[in-house]
Amino acid sequence: MYSLPKLERFNQNVASKYNIYNSIFITLPFDEINNTGVLLPLFSEVCEQGFKSNMSPDEIFNAFVSKYLDNPTEGQKISLMLRFIQYVERQVVLFDAIEDAAFSVVNNLEGRGSLRDMKENADQRSKLQELNDFLEDFKVRVVLTAHPTQFYPGSVLGIITDLTEAVKVNDLNKIKELLAQLGKTPFIKKEKPTPFDEAVSLIWYLENVFYHTIGEMMQYIQKNITKGKGLSNDLLNLGFWPGGDRDGNPFVTTEITLKVADRLRTSILKCYYLDVRKLKRKLTFSGVDVLVAELENKLYRSVFYSSGNIYITKDEFLESLQQIRKLVVEKHQSLYVDEIDLLINRYNVFGFHFATLDIRQNSKIHKQVFQDIISHVPAIFPEDYDELDEVEKIEILSNVKANLQEYDFDNEMTKATISSIKAVKVIQDKNGELGCNRYIISNNESALNVMETLAMFHLTGWENPTVDIVPLFESVEDLMNADKVMERLYTNSVYSKHLAKRGGQQSIMLGFSDGTKDGGYLMANWSIYKAKMALTAISRKYNIKVVFFDGRGGPPARGGGKTHQFYASLGPKIENKQIQLTVQGQTISANFGTLDSSRYNMENLLSAGANNQVFHSDENELTAKEENVLQELSEVSYQKYIDFKKHPKFVPYLEQMSTLNYYAKTNIGSRPSKRKQSAQLNLDDLRAIPFVGSWSQLKQNVPGFFGVGTALAHFENSNRWEEVEQLYHSSLFFRTLIENSMMALSKSFFPLTAYMKKDPEFGAFWQLIYDEFLETQRLLLKLSGFKELMENYPDSKASVAMREKIVLPLLTIQQFALLKIKELKESPEENADKIAIYEKIVTRSLFGNINASRNSA
């Protein structure tokens, strides 16, 4: 029997089930909201018809009130809006759970991009040895960050997990019970989470998803590809930012960093302990049982004793497992050896650290810290240090040594920076070097920024730090200069020696998020691609193994979208021995929230690397002509975007017409929404998440398409359209950019804000955005040959459409509230209390849309 097409599988297992279970949900008799479930579908219908009739959000809401409510007071209308928001939030959770439950049915876990497909591909092409060599040399690192794009409290995450399992087996009574629990469980956090809270939330995914998925993937590789031989390479590993990312987050302290590292170690030891307990029930053989019991006891004491001591070393743990395995193979017919191998494979990946805790700080903070060190310890630096040029400063930094202590200084930032460096050594002593061995410098503009960081380790008494210094290049200008910066470092004798001690490997981070905010969608992506080519060339020239670490967000505007296609598209001019990328917020729960989705996405990333290196290594190389076309497209797009940013209404529009100012009030993350807490909005200080997220809430998604239409029109108008068409059909990289931009367009809905075109101040600005949207949509369809956006991903298109339909009432309410706030502020009367109420509605309405989009920020 043939399986149904993907869209039909989605309709049967997601769309139909959602309609059934949602009909149960909206009839549940919750306290004080007994008629909300009846009114919400009616309001949703009024919204759909209203926008088709070009009505504004306030006209739609007022039309609904007059038709279905009996002269309600303003308080009753406000109460109904808040209840609608509560319902929509929970409908989003229900849809998430149903989609997660159907993941393995809608997506073929053994199909294209899977480990099985990779092995069969190698067998068919007689490339099994090449695949084995690839697996010994390649790495995938998924780095979990705590950037604020997810707001579910732990209680709701638990319900989602239970609901997903109930939906999988169609347990109607359990589903009804969980929906009732969901209706009565608060979604909102009264206080901002601490960085430690964020860490604990993400460690849940390490324990419950990644530990199992990665271990089983490594086991599959050992049994089916390497023919029983374990990999010496930690092929799949994890990074971790909560508790270590100090950039713009004053709440990350050294105490928090150490506390998170301890929690990571305790969590992985607990996972090992639970596995050993299961083994103990099976390995009851003479001689083996004693070893297992001893191992269980040492792990138990290390996890559950409050002293924080570790009663077993890494070497002892591995030796015990190997000894147990040897006895089982030699004396007990290899009974349960697979379970022992699985635990060894998990240990080889996770060690005693679970995930590598990265430290990150901004280069501008380092500069301030150095000024303080220079002024307090003048003996180390010459008096005219500040007047020296970069070359002279680097020469001095290359030779400085000291043993500075945090108590030598009064400045809190200096003390925090010194103590964070010392914390790295403490963590390595307890968790192993992989516990914390990277220091990332945000906003890296020069070789001096990197040398300052290395000098800081030398100044705190760590002569040969077992740490990688990772520059993060973000702006278009910094990306253009990145290869020159790295060449200065490669030719510096001290830094060159440091790299030699680090295995001749240099990690470089490239930021999609701020790159897009700075230069627009096409220019950001092309600048990163070009920077990787230039950095690869300069690194190869100096015999350095360069590793690229991509700072990606969820949506295409921040480097998200079809990520595995992007990695599969890199040609031989870009070093690609590793795939490293950040994952955050609702993108973690969407892509790695269940065992099935985690396995699918991890295997796709691994497969992308194999496709690029083993199966299609020379097929993705751009020709000189194609590079020129991409360059010209990017330049035209960049100019359009820069002119747009310079528009006098750009910042006022974001401040007055979007939800930008409400992100800081949501309590979904510990980090402030701006780097500098000044009263006046400065676009450079604004973080990418609220910037991109605000456009998403408006359903305009500007960062994901603005300038693309103008760039394509440039080629169409100059009778060079065939050049773009040829590029689209020959370059997977360009095709992926176009398809991801289509996703941004698909999640836009301009009827929601069409009322703005009549606004005397912002009407022309709104029209400017809408015109570019229409032009981009027209030309993307022309280029792809599609009749509709995302036509080649019908299931994803259907999912987006359903999610957008669910949140349409919520977005209508949000716009209605924003209009009321503007009206009240312009009124001569004192309306502070009313404004506060409508601001609460706006803030509350952010959540459902953030989570429904799954990659909105």
Side-chain angles (χ1 to χ4, degrees):
M1 182 176 176
Y2 294 105
S3 62
L4 293 170
K6 204 170 183 182
L7 178 59
E8 289 188 39
R9 298 201 301 271
F10 174 86
N11 287 333
Q12 280 190 7
N13 295 280
V14 180
S16 296
K17 282 189 177 182
Y18 173 76
N19 291 328
I20 292 168
Y21 295 142
N22 185 52
S23 66
I24 297 171
F25 174 63
I26 61 176
T27 57
L28 291 173
F30 302 127
D31 293 342
E32 300 180 11
I33 51 174
N34 54 348
N35 66 339
T36 308
V38 176
L39 291 173
L40 181 55
L42 298 173
F43 180 55
S44 182
E45 178 66 22
V46 170
C47 290
E48 287 186 45
Q49 296 304 317
F51 286 121
K52 285 179 183 176
S53 303
N54 300 315
M55 293 171 67
S56 66
D58 58 337
E59 289 172 336
I60 289 171
F61 185 75
N62 290 329
F64 169 78
V65 168
S66 63
K67 185 174 182 179
Y68 292 106
L69 302 181
D70 186 17
N71 295 318
T73 64
E74 186 168 14
Q76 289 173 324
K77 287 191 280 187
I78 287 168
S79 177
L80 182 63
M81 282 188 278
L82 287 169
R83 296 197 318 253
F84 278 164
I85 290 170
Q86 289 175 326
Y87 254 84
V88 171
E89 287 170 345
R90 287 153 178 80
Q91 285 178 318
V92 170
V93 169
L94 174 61
F95 188 82
D96 281 350
I98 292 169
E99 199 163 47
D100 286 344
F103 191 91
S104 62
V105 178
V106 175
N107 300 280
N108 183 1
L109 297 185
E110 304 292 343
R112 188 176 178 183
S114 68
L115 280 173
R116 178 177 176 176
D117 174 63
M118 194 161 51
K119 182 196 179 294
E120 291 176 352
N121 205 351
D123 284 337
Q124 290 168 5
R125 296 173 182 233
S126 299
K127 288 194 171 187
L128 197 57
Q129 185 56 52
E130 287 95 327
L131 180 58
N132 273 268
D133 293 342
F134 162 79
L135 294 171
E136 280 289 3
D137 195 37
F138 191 72
K139 292 182 193 294
V140 171
R141 174 177 288 193
V142 172
V143 180
L144 307 185
T145 81
H147 294 343
T149 59
Q150 175 71 281
F151 82 99
Y152 292 142
S155 55
V156 174
L157 286 171
I159 295 172
I160 294 173
T161 302
D162 294 342
L163 189 56
T164 300
E165 293 306 310
V167 170
K168 276 185 180 179
V169 295
N170 293 312
D171 186 341
L172 194 57
N173 288 331
K174 186 67 174 176
I175 291 167
K176 190 172 181 180
E177 187 178 77
L178 288 165
L179 289 175
Q181 181 186 355
L182 187 67
K184 291 176 173 289
T185 302
F187 273 41
I188 305 306
K189 297 174 181 176
K190 294 181 180 178
E191 297 178 354
K192 275 183 175 288
T194 67
F196 184 71
D197 294 333
E198 292 169 332
V200 170
S201 295
L202 290 189
I203 287 172
W204 184 93
Y205 291 100
L206 300 185
E207 293 177 347
N208 293 282
V209 181
F210 286 104
Y211 180 75
H212 303 283
T213 302
I214 291 177
E216 285 161 12
M217 285 177 66
M218 296 296 288
Q219 186 84 336
Y220 180 93
I221 289 168
Q222 181 175 333
K223 290 183 69 175
N224 298 284
I225 298 177
T226 63
K227 302 303 181 185
K229 180 190 171 191
L231 291 175
S232 59
N233 173 37
D234 59 333
L235 176 68
L236 308 166
N237 56 76
L238 301 170
F240 204 76
W241 275 18
D245 182 6
R246 293 172 171 270
D247 182 16
N249 194 337
F251 307 110
V252 177
T253 63
T254 300
E255 181 185 3
I256 290 284
T257 302
L258 294 171
K259 193 175 175 185
V260 169
D262 284 347
R263 183 61 173 257
L264 285 165
R265 184 187 65 253
T266 302
S267 294
I268 189 59
L269 292 179
K270 182 175 72 174
C271 290
Y272 294 153
Y273 167 73
L274 294 173
D275 274 357
V276 169
R277 279 192 68 185
K278 291 175 188 173
L279 277 173
K280 188 180 178 183
R281 292 173 64 90
K282 297 179 178 181
L283 302 179
T284 52
F285 325 132
S286 176
V288 177
D289 55 349
V290 177
L291 293 175
V292 175
E294 184 181 353
L295 182 58
E296 180 199 28
N297 180 51
K298 288 180 178 178
L299 287 170
Y300 179 87
R301 293 167 69 197
S302 299
V303 172
F304 297 108
Y305 280 24
S306 59
S307 62
N309 294 328
I310 308 168
Y311 295 91
I312 184 170
T313 67
K314 285 177 60 184
D315 290 341
E316 287 171 347
F317 180 72
L318 182 58
E319 284 168 10
S320 295
L321 289 176
Q322 289 172 335
Q323 190 177 0
I324 290 167
R325 188 186 191 281
K326 188 171 185 287
L327 278 173
V328 167
V329 170
E330 292 179 352
K331 297 187 177 182
H332 303 287
Q333 293 75 49
S334 297
L335 197 57
Y336 299 123
V337 75
D338 279 354
E339 283 90 334
I340 302 169
D341 283 342
L342 178 59
L343 184 51
I344 291 172
N345 276 322
R346 284 171 172 160
Y347 165 80
N348 287 338
V349 172
F350 300 120
F352 274 21
H353 63 283
F354 217 156
T356 300
L357 185 62
D358 289 343
I359 306 296
R360 185 170 78 129
Q361 186 53 282
N362 196 293
S363 65
K364 289 181 169 57
I365 298 296
H366 281 185
K367 186 176 181 180
Q368 295 171 21
V369 169
F370 254 88
Q371 290 298 319
D372 192 42
I373 291 174
I374 292 165
S375 62
H376 279 76
V377 196
I380 300 176
F381 295 90
E383 291 182 8
D384 62 344
Y385 179 83
D386 286 337
E387 282 73 52
L388 300 177
D389 62 24
E390 183 182 68
V391 174
E392 292 168 323
K393 285 181 177 177
I394 288 176
E395 180 62 29
I396 291 165
L397 291 173
S398 300
N399 298 293
V400 293
K401 290 181 183 177
N403 190 16
L404 302 178
Q405 305 295 328
E406 55 260 45
Y407 52 73
D408 294 333
F409 300 88
D410 298 322
N411 183 282
E412 289 301 320
M413 187 55 70
T414 305
K415 292 166 76 170
T417 303
I418 291 172
S419 66
S420 69
I421 288 172
K422 291 183 178 293
V424 174
K425 204 166 194 315
V426 173
I427 294 168
Q428 288 192 5
D429 289 342
K430 287 187 174 183
N431 295 13
E433 186 194 310
L434 288 174
C436 185
N437 67 349
R438 304 205 304 184
Y439 198 113
I440 300 163
I441 314 155
S442 300
N443 195 41
N444 196 96
E445 298 174 333
S446 66
L448 181 64
N449 294 152
V450 176
M451 291 305 296
E452 284 174 340
T453 308
L454 181 60
M456 223 144 359
F457 281 89
H458 294 157
L459 287 168
T460 53
W462 200 350
E463 190 170 339
N464 295 306
T466 48
V467 176
D468 297 323
I469 312 297
V470 184
L472 166 53
F473 299 102
E474 299 176 85
S475 71
V476 171
E477 183 180 356
D478 291 341
L479 288 164
M480 287 173 61
N481 296 324
D483 60 319
K484 300 178 188 66
V485 168
M486 296 315 300
E487 184 166 29
R488 289 191 194 102
L489 292 167
Y490 293 157
T491 54
N492 177 276
S493 60
V494 171
Y495 194 78
S496 179
K497 286 177 184 174
H498 170 71
L499 282 183
K501 289 170 184 170
R502 300 300 297 155
Q505 179 173 294
Q506 173 67 58
S507 296
I508 299 174
M509 188 173 179
L510 303 146
F512 283 79
S513 301
D514 284 300
T516 303
K517 182 166 74 80
D518 178 51
Y521 178 72
L522 272 184
M523 180 56 86
N525 281 276
W526 178 233
S527 294
I528 288 171
Y529 193 95
K530 284 195 303 177
K532 285 185 175 181
M533 286 197 294
L535 288 164
T536 298
I538 203 68
S539 299
R540 287 173 178 172
K541 176 182 175 181
Y542 291 98
N543 201 29
I544 300 296
K545 295 176 286 187
V546 67
V547 174
F548 295 117
F549 173 26
D550 291 323
R552 293 177 175 273
R558 299 186 57 231
K562 304 292 181 183
T563 308
H564 60 280
Q565 284 188 195
F566 174 86
Y567 287 114
S569 72
L570 303 178
K573 291 182 183 178
I574 293 178
E575 200 68 72
N576 52 11
K577 297 289 186 184
Q578 296 192 29
I579 289 176
Q580 296 191 14
L581 72 162
T582 55
V583 190
Q584 62 199 37
Q586 80 275 33
T587 312
I588 297 174
S589 57
N591 292 349
F592 302 98
T594 67
L595 295 174
D596 287 339
S597 63
S598 176
R599 172 192 159 189
Y600 180 83
N601 285 293
M602 289 292 285
E603 289 190 9
N604 266 272
L605 286 172
L606 189 56
S607 175
N611 278 333
N612 204 18
Q613 289 192 42
V614 181
F615 303 123
H616 307 286
S617 58
D618 296 321
E619 295 177 18
N620 295 315
E621 185 172 359
L622 291 168
T623 65
K625 184 179 178 181
E626 289 170 339
E627 287 183 15
N628 290 335
V629 173
L630 265 165
Q631 181 65 30
E632 193 171 343
L633 282 166
S634 299
E635 287 173 357
V636 175
S637 174
Y638 179 67
Q639 191 56 55
K640 178 73 173 179
Y641 181 77
I642 292 301
D643 291 343
F644 178 59
K645 276 209 310 183
K646 288 179 180 176
H647 194 290
K649 295 301 177 187
F650 186 90
V651 171
Y653 183 81
L654 278 175
E655 282 193 298
Q656 298 177 42
M657 306 302 280
S658 81
T659 57
L660 179 66
N661 293 324
Y662 297 89
Y663 263 81
K665 302 175 183 179
T666 55
N667 289 340
I668 59 175
S670 68
R671 194 172 67 167
S673 59
K674 293 192 292 185
R675 286 186 170 89
K676 295 177 184 175
Q677 299 310 304
S678 54
Q680 188 173 359
L681 176 63
N682 184 324
L683 206 56
D684 292 335
D685 292 333
L686 181 64
R687 291 198 170 279
I689 288 170
F691 176 75
V692 173
S694 297
W695 291 112
S696 174
Q697 294 286 328
L698 283 167
K699 305 311 292 179
Q700 293 177 359
N701 288 326
V702 159
F705 73 83
F706 199 89
V708 176
T710 295
L712 293 173
H714 166 73
F715 278 79
E716 182 186 52
N717 296 334
S718 55
N719 297 317
R720 296 167 58 200
W721 184 252
E722 71 282 352
E723 294 179 36
V724 182
E725 277 190 323
Q726 184 180 349
L727 179 65
Y728 176 79
H729 291 296
S730 64
S731 168
L732 179 59
F733 168 71
F734 183 61
R735 200 157 58 249
T736 301
L737 288 187
I738 293 300
E739 289 178 357
N740 283 341
S741 191
M742 280 189 187
M743 184 189 295
L745 292 175
S746 295
K747 293 185 177 184
S748 299
F749 184 65
F750 277 83
L752 178 72
T753 55
Y755 71 90
M756 293 183 186
K757 64 184 173 185
K758 297 177 184 176
D759 188 277
E761 184 178 358
F762 296 108
F765 188 77
W766 182 91
Q767 191 66 48
L768 177 69
I769 300 169
Y770 186 49
D771 288 345
E772 184 66 13
F773 167 82
L774 292 175
E775 185 73 336
T776 305
Q777 180 178 251
R778 178 183 74 83
L779 290 169
L780 290 192
L781 291 174
K782 178 180 178 179
L783 183 61
S784 62
F786 298 162
K787 291 189 173 116
E788 295 179 323
L789 297 170
M790 294 182 69
E791 189 178 294
N792 55 333
Y793 296 105
D795 58 312
S796 296
K797 180 180 173 64
S799 176
V800 168
M802 285 199 72
R803 289 176 179 278
E804 296 300 309
K805 183 175 181 179
I806 291 170
V807 296
L808 187 60
L810 183 149
L811 292 165
T812 308
I813 290 169
Q814 182 184 95
Q815 286 296 317
F816 174 81
L818 287 168
L819 283 164
K820 289 294 289 185
I821 292 167
K822 189 176 182 187
E823 176 189 316
L824 290 167
K825 285 183 176 179
E826 291 172 355
S827 170
E829 299 177 20
E830 177 59 43
N831 290 306
D833 291 343
K834 287 184 179 180
I835 289 171
I837 291 171
Y838 282 105
E839 286 185 335
K840 177 184 177 183
I841 290 173
V842 173
T843 304
R844 284 295 312 277
S845 67
L846 290 171
F847 301 134
N849 187 40
I850 287 172
N851 288 288
S853 296
R854 283 207 157 184
N855 65 356
S856 64

